[in-house]
Amino acid sequence: MKNISFTLLLSILFSSSFAQHPLDSLQQNKIPVRVGLVLSGGGAKGFAHIGVLKVLEEANVKIDFIGGTSMGAIVGGLYASGYNATQIDSIFKTTNFDAIIQDQIPRTSKNYYIKRNDERYALTLPVDNFRIGVPTAFSKGLYVYNLMSKLLHSALDINDFSQLPIPFLCIATDIETGEEVLLKKGYLPQAISASAAFPSLFAPVEIEGRLLVDGGVKNNYPIEEVLKMGANYIIGVDVQDGLKTRENLTGATKILVQVTNLSISDGMTKKREDTDIYIKPDIKDYGVVSFAEGSHIIEKGAEAAREVLDQLKKVGTPGYINKGKKEISNELTVNSIQINSLENYTRSYVLGKIGIKDQETITYRQLRSGVDNLAASRDFSTISYTIDHDKECGETINFRLTENPIKTYFKVAAHYDGLYKTSVLANLTRKKFLFKNDVISLDAIVGDNIRYNFDYYIDNGFHFSFGVKSNFNTFSRNVGTDFSEGKLLELLGVNSINLNFTDFSNAVYLQTIFAHKFVLGLGVELKHLKIKSETLSNDSPDFDNSTYVSAFGYLKYDSYDNKFFPKKGWYASGDFQYYHSSTDFSKNFHPFSIAKADAGYAYSFTRNLSANFQTEAGFKIGADSVPYFDFILGGYGFEPLNNIRPFYGFDFLSLSGDSYIKSTLTLDYSFFRRHHLNFSTNLASIGDGLFESPDWPSAHKYFGYAVGYGLETMLGPIEIKYSWSPELAKGFTFVALGYRF
C-alpha cells in the first residue's frame, strides 16, 4: 500500500512539474533561458516583425538565436548582424520598395547608350528560335542584393552565421528539386536574397550550383531549426496568410501566395503548439506587396506584441539594452575585381559596365550603379557578387555572371506628337552578332511618317568603342519658316508654307567612357538632305537636295534621375560638326561648322516640388551658304532632329537663324503616383550672326510660357501642355504620348 501511495505521489509531482510553464521549469531547474526568435515570411506583411522587435526591446528581451524565412530572413538577418529595431525601422522607411518590385534601375546608373534605348521602348520581349517569349521573372532581385551588401558590410568576413552577434539561419528552396535548403554559412547578403526570392517575382539565386527561391515554399516558420541551434524558449512571429476562399483569390499575386501556403499550412498547427510565445499580428487587410502601408503594418506588429507584454517581460534580462550599430560603413577599398570566365564578353567590357577599377576606393552607391549597369545591358541572366574583406589589402569583389542565352529581343513603342504625328515602332535587337560585346539594332517606324534607325555598336567599355549608324527621318508640315529670313513668305503673301523634310544620315564613330560618367565620341557622317514645298511651283519645289560630308565630335554627361520629369541631377552636352563638302544642289556651298551646347540642372525643394533649369546655345562658323542647317525653334513633345528644337509659345518650326541662345525654367509638382502639374517659361534670342554683335545680349528676345499635366506610364510619358507667348494673339496646345523616337 505504501509503495502504491509513494508511486502515486511521484506521479502527481511529476505531472505537476510537467504542467508548469516552460519558463518556470527552466528557472526552477536553473537552466539558462536561451531565447530563439522565429520570423516567418509574408512579403510586406513582414514589416510587422519590426514592430514586434521594438516591443521585445522595450521588455529587455535578449535574443540568443534567430531563424527566418523570406522577409523574416531580411529583418532577422539585419537584427542578427547588430542593428536594433529602431535602426531597421529607419532603413525600411527610406527604402524604395517600388524599385524592389520593379527591379528599377536608377537612371543615373545607366550609361548613355543604355539610357537612350531604355527611354525609347515601352516593352522588351526575348526572342528564342524565332519565338517571342516573356521574362522568367519581373525582377532580378538586385535591389535587395545591393541593399543587403551595403547594410551587412560589417559581416563581410563572417562566413559562419553562428559567429554573428546573434547566431542566425534562414531557409530557401531548391527550385529544381523542391528540397528545403538550410542556409547558415556563406555570404550573408546572398543567403538572405535567396530566402526572399519569391517565385516569378524575383529571379532565383544561385548558391553552390543550386538555384534557390523563397524558403516559404517549403518551410515558412523554421522553429525546428532554431531549436536545433540551441534555443530552449521560442518566440515566434507569424505573418503568413491563411488559406483564402475562391471569392478572395483575385489576382495573380494572391494565387501565387495561396499555392505557397498550401504546402505549409498543415504543419503550422504543431509549430504553433511548440512556440512558447506565439505572436500573430492582425494584418489580414494587407497583402504581400502592401509596402506603401509599411508604417501601419509595423504598428500592427507592435500591437500584437504588447498583448503578450507581460509574458515577454518575464523572459527579459534586467538592464539589457540593444544599442545597435554605431556606424554604417559606406566605403570599399577595392583591392581587386575578379570575374568568372565568360565566353562572349571580355573583361574590359564588364569592367566598363561596372565602372570600377582595381586599387580604387568606392562607395556602395558606385558599386550599386555598376551592378545596375550590368543588369541594364541584359547580357547576363544572373548577376551576383561576394566581397572578401582583408584588413590590410582591402576588399576583393568576386563577380559571378551567367551569360544570358537570349541574344535577340523584340521591342515595341508608340508615340504621338504634333510634328511626326502618330508613330508605331518595332525593333529587333541582336547581341553578339559578329563579335564579342557587339549589338545590332533596327527600328522600323510606321505611321504618318515612315522612318527607321539602324545601329551597330561594339562596346569596349573604358576603351574606345566602335559604332555605325543609319537614320531616315521625314515629316511634312505647314511651318512659319522658309529658310530665307521670311522673304519667301512675304513674296508669296502667306504666313506659312508646306514643308516636306527628309533626312538620310549615315555615320561611323568612336566612343569611350571616362571618369565613369562622361561620354566622348568622334566620327564622320554622310548626310542627304531633301527639303521641298508643295506651296512652290512645280517647276522648282526643292529648297535643297544635297549630300553633305562632315566630321563631328561630342562630349556628354547626364545624371538626371528622370529624363522627362527630373527632380535632381544635371546634364551637359557639347557638339561640334565640320561640314567639309557637298554635292551642292544650290551651287553655293562653302565649308562651315556648327557648334552647340546645352546644360541643365534639376533640384527638389520638397519631396513633391522640383525645379529644372536648362540653357542651350548654338552658332554657325563660316560662310552662310547653307541655311538648311539653321537652328529652328517651336513646338513641344518631339525628338529633336538636327538643329530643330522645341520652344514654348510658338508653333512647330516657327523661329529660325544661324545662331541662338535659349533658357527654360520648369516648376513641377508631383502628386499621387506619377502625376505631374508643371509651369514652364522660356526665352530665346535667335537670328543670323547673333553673337557677332557686341550688344547681342540686348537683341530681341522671344518669350513663351506653358502649363501642363504629365503622367508617367509604362508606354512612356503622357503630356498635355497649353502654351502661349505675349507676342502672339493665340496659344497652342501640345500633346505628346509615349516615349519619343
Side-chain angles (χ1 to χ4, degrees):
M1 180 63 102
K2 289 182 178 180
N3 289 336
I4 295 174
S5 299
F6 182 72
T7 302
L8 181 61
L9 179 62
L10 284 177
S11 179
I12 292 171
L13 290 173
F14 179 79
S15 299
S16 176
S17 177
F18 188 78
Q20 287 181 324
H21 192 278
L23 181 62
D24 297 333
S25 178
L26 293 171
Q27 292 173 342
Q28 274 190 6
N29 293 287
K30 298 182 179 180
I31 299 174
V33 180
R34 296 184 294 274
V35 179
L37 179 64
V38 180
L39 304 176
S40 82
K45 295 186 174 197
F47 276 47
H49 295 319
I50 302 172
V52 173
L53 288 173
K54 287 183 176 182
V55 177
L56 291 179
E57 292 180 353
E58 291 175 15
N60 304 116
V61 177
K62 181 180 181 298
I63 304 299
D64 298 290
F65 307 95
I66 299 177
T69 299
S70 196
M71 183 62 84
I74 294 176
V75 176
L78 292 173
Y79 201 76
S81 69
Y83 291 93
N84 62 28
T86 301
Q87 290 173 322
I88 297 175
D89 186 16
S90 178
I91 290 168
F92 275 57
K93 285 180 178 178
T94 56
T95 298
N96 184 352
F97 285 92
D98 283 342
I100 289 178
I101 296 174
Q102 301 170 8
D103 214 12
Q104 188 180 71
I105 299 173
R107 188 174 186 273
T108 52
S109 298
K110 304 173 184 177
N111 64 33
Y112 175 77
Y113 189 80
I114 294 173
K115 283 185 183 120
R116 186 191 67 179
N117 286 336
D118 285 359
E119 291 160 353
R120 179 179 292 177
Y121 309 113
L123 180 65
T124 299
L125 298 172
V127 178
D128 189 16
N129 292 325
F130 302 99
R131 293 179 296 181
I132 298 175
V134 295
T136 56
F138 289 106
S139 167
K140 285 185 171 66
L142 290 174
Y143 191 102
V144 174
Y145 199 95
N146 290 327
L147 180 64
M148 291 296 104
S149 293
K150 175 185 176 181
L151 296 174
L152 300 172
H153 177 85
S154 62
L156 290 181
D157 54 352
I158 299 176
N159 294 318
D160 185 345
F161 304 161
S162 66
Q163 301 303 309
L164 291 168
I166 302 175
F168 171 77
L169 62 81
C170 59
I171 306 296
T173 304
D174 189 319
I175 193 63
E176 293 181 297
T177 65
E179 296 175 342
E180 176 185 328
V181 180
L182 178 63
L183 299 173
K184 55 183 182 179
K185 292 184 178 181
Y187 187 60
L188 184 57
Q190 190 175 50
I192 291 174
S193 298
S195 182
F198 190 84
S200 75
L201 185 60
F202 298 114
V205 177
E206 184 176 352
I207 299 180
E208 295 182 353
R210 307 182 75 173
L211 286 179
L212 305 182
V213 297
D214 197 320
V217 175
K218 294 296 292 186
N219 184 357
N220 207 27
Y221 192 85
I223 184 173
E224 296 92 345
E225 290 72 19
V226 175
L227 288 168
K228 290 177 182 177
M229 294 175 77
N232 55 17
Y233 194 88
I234 298 294
I235 300 173
V237 188
D238 184 6
V239 297
Q240 56 194 323
D241 286 321
L243 296 179
K244 298 183 182 295
T245 63
R246 67 176 66 185
E247 290 80 11
N248 295 319
L249 289 174
T250 56
T253 303
K254 291 182 179 180
I255 293 174
L256 284 170
V257 172
Q258 182 86 335
V259 172
T260 302
N261 290 339
L262 287 172
S263 61
I264 60 177
S265 60
D266 292 340
M268 275 307 299
T269 300
K270 185 176 186 309
K271 290 182 177 184
R272 282 194 297 268
E273 293 173 352
D274 293 338
T275 303
D276 298 293
I277 300 179
Y278 179 76
I279 301 173
K280 180 71 173 176
D282 182 14
I283 47 179
K284 60 181 181 295
D285 294 332
Y286 304 95
V288 295
V289 292
S290 300
F291 295 106
E293 306 294 330
S295 297
H296 299 293
I297 299 173
I298 291 172
E299 185 54 38
K300 288 291 185 180
E303 290 175 3
R306 289 194 180 97
E307 292 177 3
V308 293
L309 183 60
D310 290 341
Q311 297 182 54
L312 294 173
K313 287 181 177 180
K314 292 179 181 179
V315 191
T317 301
Y320 171 74
I321 299 175
N322 187 348
K323 295 181 180 180
K325 286 184 177 292
K326 294 182 179 179
E327 183 178 352
I328 302 174
S329 176
N330 190 43
E331 283 193 348
L332 293 167
T333 301
V334 181
N335 178 47
S336 67
I337 299 173
Q338 303 297 321
I339 303 168
N340 61 294
S341 179
L342 299 171
E343 180 182 352
N344 297 313
Y345 301 98
T346 62
R347 174 178 171 85
S348 63
Y349 172 82
V350 175
L351 290 177
K353 286 286 184 284
I354 298 172
I356 302 170
K357 299 178 180 179
D358 295 345
Q359 306 298 316
E360 189 176 31
T361 299
I362 64 169
T363 65
Y364 270 100
R365 180 186 291 273
Q366 288 174 280
L367 175 59
R368 185 187 68 202
S369 283
V371 174
D372 286 340
N373 269 338
L374 284 177
S377 71
R378 298 188 177 94
D379 295 328
F380 307 99
S381 54
T382 62
I383 301 170
S384 66
Y385 60 89
T386 60
I387 303 175
D388 298 332
H389 176 69
D390 188 298
K391 292 182 179 179
E392 296 182 358
C393 300
E395 285 79 23
T396 297
I397 306 177
N398 305 287
F399 280 94
R400 181 169 179 80
L401 311 174
T402 303
E403 296 184 42
N404 193 345
I406 304 297
K407 304 299 181 185
T408 306
Y409 294 90
F410 177 71
K411 309 176 183 180
V412 294
H415 181 75
Y416 172 83
D417 63 61
L419 184 62
Y420 290 111
K421 303 299 182 181
T422 303
S423 303
V424 176
L425 181 155
N427 170 275
L428 198 63
T429 297
R430 170 74 183 183
K431 297 190 174 186
K432 195 180 174 294
F433 182 66
L434 297 175
F435 306 100
K436 292 183 177 182
N437 312 343
D438 74 353
V439 57
I440 187 170
S441 171
L442 176 64
D443 292 335
I445 304 169
V446 297
D448 291 291
N449 296 281
I450 305 295
R451 296 175 285 151
Y452 84 81
N453 302 305
F454 170 82
D455 283 278
Y456 177 76
Y457 187 64
I458 302 175
D459 192 343
N460 293 319
F462 287 111
H463 303 293
F464 266 101
S465 304
F466 172 79
V468 177
K469 58 183 178 181
S470 177
N471 311 96
F472 178 81
N473 288 280
T474 183
F475 62 82
S476 179
R477 184 177 173 88
N478 285 330
V479 299
T481 184
D482 59 11
F483 304 105
S484 64
E485 303 180 0
K487 297 176 182 178
L488 180 60
L489 293 177
E490 189 176 319
L491 180 65
L492 296 174
V494 295
N495 295 320
S496 65
I497 61 172
N498 175 270
L499 191 69
N500 295 319
F501 189 100
T502 301
D503 181 299
F504 178 48
S505 300
N506 302 275
V508 294
Y509 61 98
L510 296 175
Q511 181 173 285
T512 187
I513 303 168
F514 70 96
H516 303 299
K517 297 291 186 181
F518 291 88
V519 174
L520 173 67
L522 52 93
V524 293
E525 181 185 65
L526 187 70
K527 180 188 291 288
H528 183 79
L529 201 61
K530 185 175 183 179
I531 306 173
K532 66 179 183 178
S533 175
E534 296 177 357
T535 308
L536 305 181
S537 66
N538 292 330
D539 295 334
S540 181
D542 294 343
F543 287 102
D544 195 16
N545 192 9
S546 301
T547 298
Y548 298 87
V549 179
S550 65
F552 62 86
Y554 55 85
L555 178 66
K556 300 179 184 293
Y557 176 88
D558 185 355
S559 68
Y560 271 174
D561 62 338
N562 187 301
K563 178 180 179 179
F564 303 100
F565 307 100
K567 290 187 174 183
K568 61 180 180 180
W570 62 282
Y571 86 92
S573 175
D575 295 83
F576 186 86
Q577 195 155 2
Y578 172 65
Y579 291 87
H580 176 267
S581 57
S582 167
T583 55
D584 199 7
F585 173 80
S586 61
K587 309 299 182 183
N588 192 36
F589 176 83
H590 299 282
F592 66 95
S593 301
I594 296 287
K596 52 188 176 183
D598 59 313
Y601 175 71
Y603 177 79
S604 290
F605 300 102
T606 67
R607 183 177 180 181
N608 302 98
L609 181 63
S610 61
N612 183 27
F613 176 76
Q614 298 171 284
T615 187
E616 56 189 272
F619 55 91
K620 184 183 292 185
I621 305 171
D624 191 18
S625 59
V626 184
Y628 316 117
F629 289 91
D630 282 0
F631 299 94
I632 306 175
L633 305 181
Y636 178 79
F638 59 95
E639 183 71 6
L641 172 64
N642 294 339
N643 298 319
I644 302 173
R645 311 291 295 176
F647 189 72
Y648 299 121
F650 291 81
D651 202 359
F652 295 92
L653 288 77
S654 293
L655 308 172
S656 64
D658 68 8
S659 49
Y660 86 112
I661 185 169
K662 168 193 159 186
S663 295
T664 305
L665 176 65
T666 298
L667 296 177
D668 184 275
Y669 181 79
S670 60
F671 61 102
F672 297 128
R673 294 188 63 184
R674 307 182 185 281
H675 293 262
H676 299 262
L677 291 176
N678 42 61
F679 170 79
S680 302
T681 178
N682 58 196
L683 63 92
S685 293
I686 186 168
D688 290 338
L690 179 68
F691 302 117
E692 295 176 3
S693 172
D695 59 347
W696 67 265
S698 60
H700 178 71
K701 293 181 173 61
Y702 299 93
F703 292 86
Y705 307 92
V707 293
Y709 163 80
L711 174 64
E712 298 176 73
T713 75
M714 64 176 295
L715 299 178
I718 296 174
E719 296 182 271
I720 302 173
K721 291 183 180 287
Y722 179 74
S723 170
W724 73 96
S725 172
E727 299 172 271
L728 301 178
K730 63 176 182 177
F732 303 93
T733 299
F734 301 125
V735 178
L737 308 176
Y739 291 118
R740 299 169 192 173
F741 49 81

